[in-house]
Amino acid sequence: MPQPKSPEPRKTSVDLSVRIGPMTLANPVLTASGTFGYGDEYAHVVDVAALGGVITKTVTLEPRIGNAPVRIAETPSGMLNSIGLENVGLARFISEKLPKLRSLGATVVASIGGETPHELERLLDALGSEKGIAGFEINFSCPNVSKGGARYWAVPRRLEKTLERLRPLTRTALIAKLSPDVTSVGDLAIACEQGGADAVTAVNTFVGMAIDLEPLRPKLNRTTGGLSGPAIKPLALARCHEAARAVGIPVIGSGGIMNGRDALEFLAVGASAVQVGTLSFIRPRGASEVLEEMAAFLSARGVKRLQDWRGGLLGDGEPAAQRREAGAGRGKH
Ligand SMILES: Cc1cc2nc3c(=O)[nH]c(=O)nc-3n(C[C@H](O)[C@H](O)[C@H](O)COP(=O)(O)O)c2cc1C
């Protein structure tokens, strides 16, 4: 039965706007790739235009059917998925999904994925000047594909060189989504910044595994999957903090955000915006609720601008506003 569309998030006096390169978002709450379809599936329950933005399912050059089932497993405080980038492919994305997305009035970030730098170039060549796309998130971090996944892309020099090739292909925002399963997310973030990315997303899912004892076998057909949800929040938060200390470009936090307070923690460690993923499977209105709770928290404490909250815990003990007044940049290391 169709659910009634919820009312728009209450108007708030707090200035929540954020800039991510050339893109201005009305607020910092985006839906995470792969957890919100192509936006239109949720439009009957969520006012997607009132969110900071909608990040689409990762699109690849050709359609993909993804991995064979079983490809979802529940774990304590989290979920494992090994979907493997099932998506409609570039041609149908342009002919079917983009027109619908445009009609929703949402700020759309298209997620793209490729097995090689050349595939990403072809995708951006085709989509870079399409109307209705405010930016691109490049999925450099899928843990569930055998080619062009997190391991392939977790090489700083490869990221830097690839972004140098992609940068001239679009004037919209270029966001690099990073894997957490690396020695240093900060080093990857620096490579992306040097390659010309406008922002990095920290982080995608963590590689995980679950076993059935009788019969003895992995719960997922592909053996491992990506862990998401509350179980990963402390891990993701630490990596977001590391990335925010490493680069001057905006960092977008992702991983286990289930309410407004979680979002505020990511913003406090230096994230400019956040993504809501697994929560949307539990409560389709989850992203809107995160936004409302966050705004209410700030408003109740007299914070007028999100900027005054952001980065309050970047690691040097001084509140962000004070550091900015003192003219201190975040620096590289
Ligand atoms: C079922 C599922 C599918 C996903 N598909 C994608 C995807 O296509 N591209 C991508 O960049 N991230 C994908 N992700 C990762 C999410 O965007 C997000 O980064 C991750 O789940 C951590 O956030 P969360 O704990 O809030 O879910 C997927 C996650 C899940 C659970």
Side-chain angles (χ1 to χ4, degrees):
M1 208 174 81
Q3 284 177 265
K5 193 158 170 167
S6 338
E8 272 185 46
R10 247 168 284 123
K11 291 269 177 287
T12 168
S13 57
V14 187
D15 176 4
L16 295 170
S17 63
V18 279
R19 276 190 74 85
I20 308 284
M23 173 171 77
T24 300
L25 306 179
N27 65 69
V29 181
L30 300 128
T31 59
S33 177
T35 63
F36 209 72
Y38 298 91
D40 53 327
E41 293 90 331
Y42 282 79
H44 61 295
V45 272
V46 183
D47 179 5
V48 291
L51 295 173
V54 169
I55 306 183
T56 68
K57 174 70 190 172
T58 297
V59 179
T60 53
L61 277 177
E62 301 301 329
R64 291 176 66 112
I65 56 168
N67 296 318
V70 175
R71 48 188 202 173
I72 295 277
E74 196 170 338
T75 63
S77 301
M79 71 179 272
L80 281 167
N81 91 81
S82 60
I83 305 293
L85 298 185
E86 176 182 351
N87 77 96
V88 297
L90 176 64
R92 273 185 63 200
F93 180 72
I94 292 176
S95 64
E96 289 174 28
K97 299 296 177 184
L98 257 183
K100 278 193 200 160
L101 274 165
R102 285 188 197 111
S103 71
L104 297 175
T107 300
V108 175
V109 174
S111 168
I112 57 172
E115 292 182 1
T116 60
H118 183 59
E119 282 194 12
L120 291 172
E121 275 179 301
R122 286 178 57 198
L123 280 157
L124 212 50
D125 226 5
L127 290 168
S129 46
E130 279 286 340
K131 283 204 183 65
I133 300 180
F136 293 90
E137 184 179 74
I138 303 155
N139 184 355
F140 287 127
S141 43
C142 180
N144 301 317
V145 289
S146 48
K147 279 190 184 164
R151 199 173 285 190
Y152 173 78
W153 289 113
V155 178
R157 192 90 184 121
R158 181 172 288 152
L159 286 180
E160 184 180 342
K161 290 276 149 210
T162 302
L163 283 159
E164 279 171 3
R165 285 164 65 173
L166 299 180
R167 182 68 277 180
L169 302 177
T170 183
R171 297 166 82 135
T172 65
L174 263 191
I175 304 164
K177 184 166 178 181
L178 301 177
S179 164
D181 289 317
V182 294
T183 309
S184 168
V185 170
D187 285 351
L188 293 189
I190 289 169
C192 293
E193 181 176 47
Q194 285 171 347
D198 292 304
V200 295
T201 297
V203 285
N204 208 316
T205 51
F206 289 73
V207 173
M209 187 172 172
I211 306 281
D212 272 332
L213 289 181
E214 284 176 321
L216 186 60
R217 64 178 176 209
K219 287 194 174 176
L220 296 174
N221 184 52
R222 199 175 180 270
T223 307
T224 60
L227 184 64
S228 64
I232 69 169
K233 197 196 86 181
L235 305 166
L237 192 63
R239 280 150 182 85
C240 180
H241 179 233
E242 184 189 338
R245 283 170 60 105
V247 293
I249 53 174
V251 174
I252 304 175
S254 161
I257 294 174
M258 305 304 276
N259 53 52
R261 298 180 84 98
D262 289 343
L264 285 160
E265 288 183 37
F266 277 81
L267 295 161
V269 301
S272 295
V274 293
Q275 298 180 9
V276 171
T278 301
L279 176 62
S280 296
F281 295 132
I282 303 165
R283 292 203 307 276
R285 280 201 77 249
S288 299
E289 290 164 12
V290 166
L291 174 58
E292 286 160 25
E293 288 165 16
M294 202 186 69
F297 180 100
L298 294 174
S299 174
R301 282 153 188 83
V303 179
K304 295 269 182 301
R305 301 177 317 159
L306 182 69
Q307 288 307 315
D308 297 332
W309 175 270
R310 196 175 66 77
L313 254 177
L314 252 183
D316 59 6
E318 282 176 47
Q322 247 171 279
R323 267 202 318 278
R324 257 191 306 280
E325 270 159 34
R330 272 186 282 170
K332 283 240 173 248
H333 298 284

